[in-house]
Amino acid sequence: MSKPIIAVVGRPNVGKSTLFNTLAGEKISIVEDTPGVTRDRIYADVTWLNHAFTLIDTGGIEPTSDDQMLIHMRAQAELAMETADCILFLTDVRQGLVDADYQVADMLRKTAKPVVLAVNKVDNFEKFMPDVYEFFNLGIGDPHPISASSRLGLGDMLDAVLEVLGDRVNEVEEDERPKIAIVGKPNVGKSSLVNKLLGEERVIVSDIAGTTRDAIDTMLKVNGTEYILIDTAGLRRKSKIKENIERYSIIRTVAAIERADVVVLMIDAEEGVTEQDAKIAGLAHDRGRGLIIAVNKWDAVEKNDKSVKEYTEDIRKVLSFVPYAEIIFISAKTGQRTGKVFELIETVIENHALRVQTGVLNEIMTEAVAMQQPPSDKGKRLKLFYMTQVAVKPPTFVIFVNKKELMHFSYQRYIENQIRQTFGFSGTPIRILIRERKNEK
């Protein structure tokens, strides 16, 4: 089930990042009084009244500016609006209604997306409510008075968001076909790989980075099974403006990973693993998606008999947090090993949904404990009573112990490794939850 996406948009310096941080419960966006601080979108998972959604923070929109940085920020905000299920339009009661607000409202109307209008910095309702009414003139719905910094009025605003989302909040994807997200930086060859997999030119391919404007879903049938390929525009490179505040534009990749069962992360063999690649791998890992790393343009690299081994070691070192990821070396241009990609995808999908019997799990746990004694602290030793699998996609296990604090991270990793040695689970993360049980019988 994918979460609805809410984009927070508005002019610079109306408090978007402050609102974003308040709703996200932590300081994710940098908050400063300088207009234009938030360069690109930031995302966070937010829950309100048991409803989960993904919140996107955007740079301020200056509709008529010719400044290149502001044009870039405007483009990022427009991209967020295109992708969003609902738009949270933030204005500033202290600055009042200005021409730029009308222009942003016109942009929002053209998206045909549901909009919730919020008037920020209303720290005193009695004092500022007459000024809030002025925002009815935008003709974009009822203005909701809030104070992001003082946490006032947020409940009513979020209720309005849930209302305009309607059934979308509780929508469960009925399409059970496995979904494969092809992700990576611009110009790494994602569309070329999709075309090779499809066997036809279904996606326009260009040498210009960012040609693929929107996520494109394509059905593909392999060995009698239907799959959905999600091709995305890649993550943009860092801004050339050397400031301490830089952001990647990641929302389309976030949305694609959110919907996917398996993520194929394409890496440029000539460039090597980059920080952006690690960021995408982290997104897939955090969301429990199966992960395949496809090293593209392998035909363009000078190689010897140790190249694959050395390159694999480099990837494992940089992406050490996803040691389970499958790695394949391909050339989307020549078709080299692209036929093997779907063999890996099928394997990862199977592992992602693999369920292990409880009896077998406890045999593995008992044997693991016998081989390596659990840790102890101040004379109290960790005891593992019972293990069972509670979910798939990703495989999730619960271990009942006498005291959670005694379960050291390294021992939990050891148990995970024992499970992987027995069942493989290649290409998929494993979740292990620790629960305390007082009764030791």
Side-chain angles (χ1 to χ4, degrees):
M1 177 177 173
S2 61
K3 302 183 187 75
I5 294 175
I6 315 297
V8 183
V9 304
R11 293 184 293 105
N13 211 30
V14 295
K16 295 184 300 299
S17 294
T18 302
L19 175 62
F20 177 84
N21 291 336
T22 300
L23 295 179
E26 55 184 311
K27 289 198 172 183
I28 299 174
S29 280
I30 298 170
V31 180
E32 293 183 15
D33 290 333
T34 307
V37 162
T38 308
R39 296 305 187 205
D40 289 318
R41 297 174 308 278
I42 304 295
Y43 76 96
D45 293 326
V46 175
T47 303
W48 173 249
L49 299 179
N50 295 321
H51 296 296
F53 51 87
T54 298
L55 191 69
I56 307 299
D57 187 22
T58 66
I61 301 174
E62 287 281 14
T64 58
S65 175
D66 293 328
D67 180 88
Q68 287 301 310
M69 190 70 247
L70 292 174
I71 290 173
H72 167 73
M73 290 160 57
R74 184 166 69 231
Q76 297 304 299
E78 288 172 345
L79 181 56
M81 290 188 287
E82 289 173 13
T83 312
D85 297 291
C86 172
I87 298 166
L88 192 53
F89 178 22
L90 198 62
T91 55
D92 185 343
V93 73
R94 296 175 186 268
Q95 294 181 22
L97 190 57
V98 299
D99 286 344
D101 288 323
Y102 284 104
Q103 292 164 347
V104 173
D106 287 339
M107 289 174 61
L108 297 181
R109 268 189 283 271
K110 292 175 183 176
T111 68
K113 297 288 180 72
V115 177
V116 172
L117 172 62
V119 183
N120 193 25
K121 305 181 184 179
V122 184
D123 300 312
N124 184 318
F125 277 54
E126 290 185 8
K127 177 181 177 182
F128 288 109
M129 278 310 293
D131 298 321
V132 171
Y133 296 137
E134 179 186 12
F135 289 84
F136 274 105
N137 292 320
L138 288 172
I140 207 159
D142 295 349
H144 297 271
I146 67 165
S147 171
S149 58
S150 303
R151 296 174 176 267
L152 298 175
L154 301 183
D156 290 341
M157 179 194 72
L158 290 172
D159 285 343
V161 169
L162 295 180
E163 185 177 344
V164 299
L165 284 172
D167 294 338
R168 178 67 184 84
V169 173
N170 301 308
E171 180 184 275
V172 178
E173 291 185 5
E174 296 179 0
D175 192 343
E176 295 297 323
R177 291 177 294 184
K179 295 175 184 60
I180 318 301
I182 313 290
V183 300
K185 301 192 307 297
N187 213 27
V188 75
K190 298 182 299 298
S191 296
S192 297
L193 176 59
V194 170
N195 290 337
K196 283 293 180 186
L197 296 177
L198 292 172
E200 55 181 310
E201 295 287 322
R202 290 285 293 274
V203 182
I204 298 171
V205 180
S206 168
D207 290 332
I208 303 170
T211 297
T212 308
R213 292 283 309 196
D214 297 296
I216 302 168
D217 287 3
T218 311
M219 193 276 285
L220 175 62
K221 197 167 187 176
V222 179
N223 299 329
T225 302
E226 289 186 357
Y227 299 87
I228 300 295
L229 286 181
I230 306 169
D231 179 31
T232 62
L235 299 195
R236 295 177 186 271
R237 300 178 189 278
K238 273 193 172 185
S239 168
K240 293 180 181 178
I241 296 177
K242 300 298 182 183
E243 296 185 19
N244 61 342
I245 304 156
E246 292 177 320
R247 291 291 184 266
Y248 297 120
S249 60
I250 56 174
I251 178 52
R252 202 145 36 199
T253 301
V254 173
I257 291 174
E258 189 73 59
R259 295 173 51 218
D261 297 298
V262 174
V263 173
V264 178
L265 168 57
M266 295 189 68
I267 290 174
D268 189 322
E270 296 176 294
E271 191 174 354
V273 187
T274 67
E275 185 181 345
Q276 292 184 52
D277 297 323
K279 195 177 189 75
I280 306 175
L283 287 170
H285 176 75
D286 291 343
R287 278 158 168 71
R289 305 308 189 234
L291 181 60
I292 295 169
I293 298 169
V295 183
N296 192 28
K297 306 180 185 178
W298 192 240
D299 58 313
V301 176
E302 289 187 18
K303 298 176 284 292
N304 56 42
D305 57 345
K306 296 180 180 177
S307 296
V308 170
K309 181 176 181 291
E310 291 172 351
Y311 209 104
T312 300
E313 288 174 353
D314 288 342
I315 293 173
R316 295 294 186 202
K317 186 177 180 180
V318 178
L319 304 181
S320 58
F321 55 93
V322 287
Y324 54 84
E326 290 280 8
I327 299 174
I328 185 170
F329 295 83
I330 67 169
S331 169
K333 183 178 179 181
T334 66
Q336 181 184 12
R337 276 189 290 277
T338 54
K340 298 286 186 183
V341 172
F342 250 95
E343 292 180 18
L344 274 184
I345 289 172
E346 289 171 339
T347 299
V348 172
I349 287 173
E350 185 177 335
N351 290 334
H352 199 229
L354 183 61
R355 191 176 288 276
V356 181
Q357 292 181 344
T358 299
V360 178
L361 279 174
N362 283 281
E363 286 178 13
I364 296 169
M365 185 185 76
T366 302
E367 187 175 329
V369 169
M371 289 191 297
Q372 185 170 320
Q373 199 173 35
S376 62
D377 183 42
K378 297 178 181 177
K380 185 76 172 177
R381 185 167 297 281
L382 173 69
K383 293 182 181 178
L384 283 66
F385 300 129
Y386 183 78
M387 178 164 60
T388 187
Q389 184 173 355
V390 294
V392 294
K393 297 183 179 182
T396 304
F397 304 91
V398 172
I399 301 177
F400 293 94
V401 302
N402 60 333
K403 197 170 181 64
K404 286 174 64 175
E405 290 76 13
L406 295 174
M407 176 60 92
H408 192 270
F409 170 77
S410 60
Y411 199 76
Q412 182 172 321
R413 174 66 64 85
Y414 164 68
I415 296 294
E416 177 181 333
N417 289 339
Q418 298 305 305
I419 295 172
R420 287 191 181 278
Q421 282 180 20
T422 307
F423 298 103
F425 283 115
S426 62
T428 178
I430 288 178
R431 301 278 187 260
I432 296 182
L433 310 175
I434 308 301
R435 296 286 182 265
E436 205 166 281
R437 197 177 77 179
K438 298 298 184 185
N439 183 6
E440 298 188 10
K441 291 183 181 179

